Amino acid sequence: MPEGQLSARDSTIAALIASQSDRWPRVPTEDPIWGLARIVMAQQISTHVACRIARDVRSAHPEIETPSIASLPEVASLRAMGLPERRAQCCVTILQRSGELRDRVQQGQSWEEALAGIKGIGPWTLSVFRIMVLREPDVLPLGDVGLERAIANVYGKRRSVERLGEKWRPFRSVACWYLWRTLGNEQLG
């Protein structure tokens, strides 16, 4: 179990894991296309607002969570729910290209390769998607403000995310997941 290995390497993470009843979900729990769109919705906004927007989109378009999306939301519809133009366009692009993206991954491309060139998907989005949706165990989302805040709260202000990440290998995603939970936010995944 990743929690045991993390705990053996880092007593602070060990105490954090022991204090929480929920455990890292090691397998994906949602469709990757919906998950990716949901992560795009969360870019540069609070987790609370991101979760509200995702609930609103899901309520207005219940089929959006399924692998075969029957009808796509329009940019204007997503804008009306609070997404800025670029994020709304990125979500629509992801949904429009969902079949192609799935095919590329099934043919052996990584999600990063399959998503290359889609405006609005950068390193942060890919990292958080890999952690929260794909459940890859060893991703470190450098530059994530929430993670930096959680580390400052738990370890103290002068801790390097990269240095801590080295201690957590090969379960950096798992450590991040537990740290994010300390912020008291509704969870993205």
Side-chain angles (χ1 to χ4, degrees):
M1 290 188 67
E3 288 87 355
Q5 290 183 34
L6 273 171
S7 295
R9 292 178 185 168
D10 184 335
S11 61
T12 302
I13 283 286
L16 185 60
I17 290 169
S19 73
Q20 296 184 29
S21 59
D22 290 333
R23 293 292 173 249
W24 160 258
R26 292 189 263 179
V27 296
T29 57
E30 67 185 326
D31 176 69
I33 297 297
W34 164 245
L36 178 60
R38 196 174 49 75
I39 298 302
V40 168
M41 291 175 201
Q43 294 171 345
Q44 301 175 346
I45 58 175
S46 75
T47 305
H48 174 75
V49 172
C51 290
R52 180 191 51 77
I53 291 172
R55 277 192 303 272
D56 291 349
V57 170
R58 190 174 45 228
S59 177
H61 304 279
E63 73 284 354
I64 203 166
E65 290 184 273
T66 63
S68 58
I69 302 165
S71 64
L72 299 172
E74 295 179 7
V75 171
S77 170
L78 297 178
R79 296 265 301 122
M81 291 180 207
L83 283 179
E85 178 79 26
R86 286 186 179 200
R87 264 185 265 148
Q89 184 59 56
C90 183
C91 287
V92 169
T93 299
I94 292 165
L95 296 168
Q96 287 172 337
R97 294 180 55 189
S98 64
E100 169 200 341
L101 296 170
R102 289 176 205 282
D103 288 346
R104 291 174 76 178
V105 170
Q106 287 177 346
Q107 292 171 7
Q109 285 190 356
S110 68
W111 278 99
E112 186 172 358
E113 292 167 328
L115 296 167
I118 296 179
K119 288 184 180 182
I121 298 180
W124 180 88
T125 303
L126 282 168
S127 293
V128 174
F129 169 66
R130 291 172 58 204
I131 294 169
M132 296 297 201
V133 178
L134 300 179
R135 301 298 182 198
E136 292 180 17
D138 194 36
V139 178
L140 186 63
L142 295 175
D144 183 87
V145 175
L147 178 60
E148 291 170 1
R149 188 171 55 245
I151 287 172
N153 292 344
V154 172
Y155 287 92
K157 294 184 189 266
R158 298 197 185 270
R159 298 305 297 244
S160 162
V161 175
E162 289 181 78
R163 185 169 289 145
L164 284 169
E166 288 305 313
K167 186 189 277 193
W168 301 330
R169 272 187 200 274
F171 299 111
R172 295 177 297 176
S173 300
V174 182
C176 293
W177 187 84
Y178 281 100
L179 283 159
W180 279 321
R181 297 180 69 73
T182 67
L183 297 173
N185 297 326
E186 187 173 356
Q187 297 301 303
L188 285 175

